[in-house]
């Protein structure tokens, strides 16, 4: 079956891959490429539509990214979002200026339901705005299709030439019916059939890996988490016995997790993998001794992971490829490409400069967490593995504020185990997308029995999210939180206080570092 393609040209926005994700939700295959892509390469891809992303620049700035004018003459519909909308206006003869009033956050937008993007949405709709510039005058041939009291051109279109632009972000969940707008573009405007499914991704990825690897040997960094597990099974399907999975127990895992991972993927487990477990707990503790800054901890853990893999690869002999379960939020938060660095993930920005492998394969790099889970189910991985709680590669090293010690690891392991156990008992484990306990660096006075204590405070975190790029604090019933708190204080030595973190993302991150 021939696959339709929509290309997203990235101008440096934080939501660039989120646009692609929303398009894929419409069952249309989508890829993200830099705006600097060679125009002949873009033509050869034969896209049915092109989307310009947002970005942090002003289109009239001296060094602002520009789109090759040839894109507009490809005969392919183009949708500009935020910066992309302003760029389209600017390049096609309109005017873009600093807005008299900036708009950020949820904004009521009035749309023209005769506009091609808005026929199936409400006339007055809440959209997510984030701009200081605005389109002061649309180019000739465009008609305005949406506005706000302070943004006269919140959307515009030139349907005859196939040009569409929106100042707001239809890709974020805060924009009501935003996916309907994108679906109208890719299906009604671009004529995409909507026949791409996750099984297509699995089949194409397996085929591409086989072609890329050939008879080469592959080492997979298996943590036992959702992402690395799906990556491992994908690679096993593609290269079979040429794959060796190395599981590094760095002493920063959840309680009993090392043994649980070995039970699933080891010799007695469900999969026919060459599985090697490396117990390197003390090695990591020694490297982290005295380190308190979270970014340094991430980079230390990331480099030490690679060094362990390199050592194992030499013993195996002639390993060409390293496989990692990197997913898109890891990439974007690590600041690769145009986006700002939020935190370095140990398997992305945390990699050392010199890596002794021919290539690194990251088959899930363009997917969000929920898409990874869909791929896992398509591969036949059991539900209890696919839907297990997300866990960062650096592990408890970034859920312990301040210096990492064996004693602190034990505290947070026990507190986290109680928390997860009670959330499951309450039947909330599928409703909350991520939840865990973290150890703060704060100690305070408490009273237990007739004795004064001076112990640590544990913070509980729980969020609801679909894409892990934005998140809201979960509203856990008080009786559940109360039970968790009582158990932690009574059962975990060294803790006399428990907090619940109510911060959303943004401004916070999901992890507690």
């Amino acid at each position: 079956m021939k696959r339709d393609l929509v290309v997203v040209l990235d101008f440096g926005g934080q939501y660039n891959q989120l646009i692609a994700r929303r398009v894929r939700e419409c069952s249309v295959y989508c890829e993200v490429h830099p705006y600097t892509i060679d125009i002949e390469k873009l033509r050869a891809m034969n896209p049915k539509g092109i989307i310009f992303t947002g970005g942090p620049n002003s289109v009239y700035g001296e060094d602002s990214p520009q789109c090759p004018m040839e894109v507009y003459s490809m005969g392919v519909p183009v949708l500009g979002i935020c910066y992309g909308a302003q760029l389209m206006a600017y390049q096609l003869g309109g005017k873009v200026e600093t807005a008299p009033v900036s708009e950020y956050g949820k904004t009521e937008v009035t749309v023209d339901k005769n506009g091609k993007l808005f026929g199936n949405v409400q006339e007055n709709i809440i959209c997510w705005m984030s701009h200081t510039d605005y389109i002061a005058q649309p180019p000739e041939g465009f008609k305005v299709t949406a506005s706000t009291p302070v943004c006269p051109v919140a959307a515009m279109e030139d349907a005859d030439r196939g040009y569409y632009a929106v100042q707001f972000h239809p890709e974020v969940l805060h924009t009501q019916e935003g996916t309907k707008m994108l679906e109208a573009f890719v299906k009604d405007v671009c004529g995409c059939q909507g026949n791409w499914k996750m099984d297509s991704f699995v089949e194409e990825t397996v085929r591409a890996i086989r072609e890329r690897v050939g008879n080469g040997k592959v080492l997979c960094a298996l943590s036992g988490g959702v992402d690395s597990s799906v990556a491992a099974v994908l690679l096993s399907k593609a290269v079979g016995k040429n794959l060796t999975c190395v599981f590094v127990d760095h002493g920063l895992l959840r309680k009993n997790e090392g043994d649980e991972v070995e039970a699933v993927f080891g010799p007695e487990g469900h999969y026919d993998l060459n599985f090697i477990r490396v117990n390197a707990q003390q090695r990591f503790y020694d490297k982290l001794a005295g380190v308190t800054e979270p970014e340094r901890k991430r980079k230390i853990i990331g480099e030490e992971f690679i060094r362990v893999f390199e050592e194992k690869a030499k013993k195996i002999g002639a390993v060409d490829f390293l496989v990692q379960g990197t997913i898109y939020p890891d990439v974007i938060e690590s600041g690769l490409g145009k986006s700002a660095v939020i935190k370095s993930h140990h398997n992305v920005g945390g990699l050392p400069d010199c890596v002794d492998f021919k290539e690194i394969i990251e088959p899930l790099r363009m997917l969000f967490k929920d898409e990874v889970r869909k791929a896992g189910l398509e591969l036949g991985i059991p539900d209890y593995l696919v839907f297990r709680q997300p866990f960062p590669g650096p592990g408890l090293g970034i859920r312990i504020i301040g210096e990492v010690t064996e004693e602190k690891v034990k505290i947070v392991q026990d507190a986290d185990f109680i928390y997860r156990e009670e959330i499951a008992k309450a039947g909330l484990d599928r409703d909350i997308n991520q939840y865990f306990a973290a150890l703060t660096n704060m100690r305070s006075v408490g009273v237990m029995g007739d004795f004064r204590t001076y112990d640590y405070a544990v913070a509980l975190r729980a969020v609801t999210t679909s894409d892990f790029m934005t998140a809201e604090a979960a509203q856990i019933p008080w009786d559940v939180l109360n039970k968790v708190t009582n158990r932690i204080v009574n059962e975990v030595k060294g803790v006399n206080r428990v907090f619940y973190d109510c911060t959303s993302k943004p401004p916070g991150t999901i992890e507690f570092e």
Side-chain angles (χ1 to χ4, degrees):
M1 181 184 295
K2 190 175 183 301
R3 181 185 68 187
D4 293 328
L5 168 67
V6 170
V7 171
V8 174
L9 292 185
D10 176 15
F11 289 90
Q14 288 284 349
Y15 302 132
N16 46 25
Q17 183 62 24
L18 190 51
I19 298 170
R21 179 179 180 276
R22 295 290 180 239
V23 172
R24 291 197 295 259
E25 285 178 354
C26 300
S27 300
V28 175
Y29 185 66
C30 188
E31 293 180 358
V32 180
H33 292 276
Y35 71 92
T36 53
I37 185 173
D38 179 77
I39 190 67
E40 294 307 319
K41 180 180 177 182
L42 183 60
R43 282 198 181 101
M45 295 167 71
N46 195 28
K48 298 275 284 192
I50 295 172
I51 301 176
F52 297 167
T53 74
N57 301 86
S58 292
V59 296
Y60 47 77
E62 192 172 315
D63 299 320
S64 62
Q66 302 290 306
C67 175
M69 291 302 294
E70 294 94 330
V71 170
Y72 297 105
S73 59
M74 285 177 59
V76 173
V78 180
L79 169 64
I81 294 175
C82 196
Y83 177 89
Q86 296 167 11
L87 182 64
M88 181 182 291
Y90 182 72
Q91 291 190 306
L92 296 179
K95 289 184 180 179
V96 177
E97 301 173 351
T98 302
V101 179
S102 299
E103 287 181 306
Y104 292 100
K106 294 179 180 179
T107 305
E108 185 171 306
V109 177
T110 300
V111 305
D112 179 354
K113 290 181 66 65
N114 293 315
K116 292 270 189 157
L117 304 184
F118 306 124
N120 293 322
V121 304
Q122 306 167 53
E123 186 174 352
N124 294 297
I125 193 165
I126 299 298
C127 298
W128 186 260
M129 289 281 196
S130 181
H131 67 103
T132 54
D133 291 341
Y134 77 149
I135 299 169
Q137 180 181 320
E140 186 176 346
F142 280 78
K143 73 171 183 176
V144 176
T145 53
S147 62
T148 75
V150 297
C151 183
V153 188
M156 63 180 189
E157 69 178 44
D158 182 340
D160 291 339
R161 292 190 288 174
Y163 302 149
Y164 300 82
V166 293
Q167 181 59 69
F168 51 85
H169 288 274
E171 71 274 21
V172 302
L173 292 177
H174 302 297
T175 295
Q176 295 173 348
E177 302 184 281
T179 299
K180 288 184 180 180
M181 302 173 197
L182 290 172
E183 186 169 29
F185 176 71
V186 299
K187 291 185 177 177
D188 299 339
V189 174
C190 300
C192 295
Q193 296 300 306
N195 54 14
W196 183 78
K197 304 293 182 186
M198 187 51 71
D199 58 354
S200 305
F201 168 81
V202 170
E203 291 169 8
E204 290 167 9
T205 301
V206 168
R207 183 169 58 250
I209 290 170
R210 281 180 184 148
E211 292 175 359
R212 183 175 175 185
V213 171
N215 292 321
K217 289 187 177 180
V218 182
L219 189 69
C220 179
L222 177 62
S223 71
V226 178
D227 307 329
S228 68
S229 297
V230 172
V233 177
L234 259 177
L235 264 294
S236 177
K237 194 177 178 73
V239 303
K241 288 296 186 180
N242 283 357
L243 172 68
T244 297
C245 292
V246 176
F247 167 57
V248 178
D249 187 342
H250 51 17
L252 304 170
L253 298 171
R254 290 172 286 207
K255 188 171 183 177
N256 303 327
E257 191 156 35
D259 294 338
E260 291 171 0
V261 170
E262 185 170 5
V264 173
F265 292 102
E268 306 301 321
H270 303 287
Y271 301 100
D272 186 17
L273 301 174
N274 297 318
F275 178 86
I276 298 173
R277 178 175 179 174
V278 181
N279 292 312
Q281 295 91 333
Q282 195 58 51
R283 176 172 176 170
F284 279 83
Y285 292 154
D286 291 344
K287 288 284 184 180
L288 291 168
V291 179
T292 60
E293 204 276 317
E295 190 69 4
R296 271 199 68 207
K297 287 194 282 187
R298 280 183 174 272
K299 289 186 178 294
I300 287 169
I301 294 167
E303 176 163 358
E304 204 60 22
F305 259 112
I306 291 296
R307 299 308 170 219
V308 173
F309 294 139
E310 287 173 344
E311 292 167 12
K312 286 297 171 186
K314 287 174 183 175
K315 290 182 179 179
I316 296 166
V319 174
D320 297 314
F321 302 92
L322 172 67
V323 176
Q324 298 188 133
T326 307
I327 64 173
Y328 191 72
D330 300 341
V331 175
I332 198 69
E333 290 186 338
S334 294
L336 302 192
K338 298 290 182 181
S339 303
V341 175
I342 298 171
K343 57 189 177 185
S344 292
H345 289 261
H346 81 289
N347 53 342
V348 190
L351 287 175
D353 294 332
C354 179
V355 179
D356 191 16
F357 292 95
K358 179 180 175 182
E359 285 187 56
I360 294 178
I361 297 176
E362 297 171 318
L364 310 176
R365 187 182 179 90
M366 300 298 279
L367 301 186
F368 284 84
K369 182 72 72 175
D370 60 323
E371 292 178 313
V372 173
R373 289 194 167 111
K374 288 178 185 176
L377 293 173
E378 190 65 36
L379 286 162
I381 300 175
D383 280 19
Y384 73 89
L385 282 180
V386 170
F387 291 101
R388 74 182 303 178
Q389 274 294 296
F391 191 62
L396 302 181
I398 56 168
R399 291 182 181 175
I400 294 171
I401 307 304
E403 183 181 12
V404 175
T405 67
E406 198 168 352
E407 176 197 8
K408 289 181 179 179
V409 170
K410 178 70 164 58
I411 289 172
V412 76
Q413 281 179 335
D414 290 344
D416 182 73
F417 183 83
I418 290 169
Y419 186 29
R420 288 185 291 121
E421 188 174 63
E422 291 301 330
I423 289 292
K425 284 181 182 177
L428 300 173
D429 48 321
R430 287 291 184 91
D431 298 327
I432 304 172
N433 301 104
Q434 188 165 354
Y435 52 94
F436 57 87
L439 186 62
T440 74
N441 204 27
M442 186 191 91
R443 299 180 75 179
S444 63
V445 174
V447 178
M448 289 188 178
D450 295 324
F451 296 97
R452 175 187 184 274
T453 61
Y454 187 64
D455 288 328
Y456 286 106
V458 162
L460 304 178
R461 181 80 162 132
V463 299
T464 56
T465 177
S466 64
D467 51 45
F468 289 81
M469 294 297 287
T470 60
E472 299 290 338
Q475 297 184 30
I476 298 176
W478 177 249
D479 62 326
V480 177
L481 285 175
N482 190 45
K483 188 170 185 180
V484 172
T485 298
N486 287 336
R487 282 197 61 191
I488 289 175
V489 170
N490 285 306
E491 297 176 32
V492 181
K493 185 179 179 182
V495 177
N496 66 359
R497 200 176 292 267
V498 176
F499 298 138
Y500 184 68
D501 183 358
C502 298
T503 315
S504 63
K505 175 188 180 181
T509 60
I510 293 176
E511 289 297 336
F512 196 76
E513 61 193 334

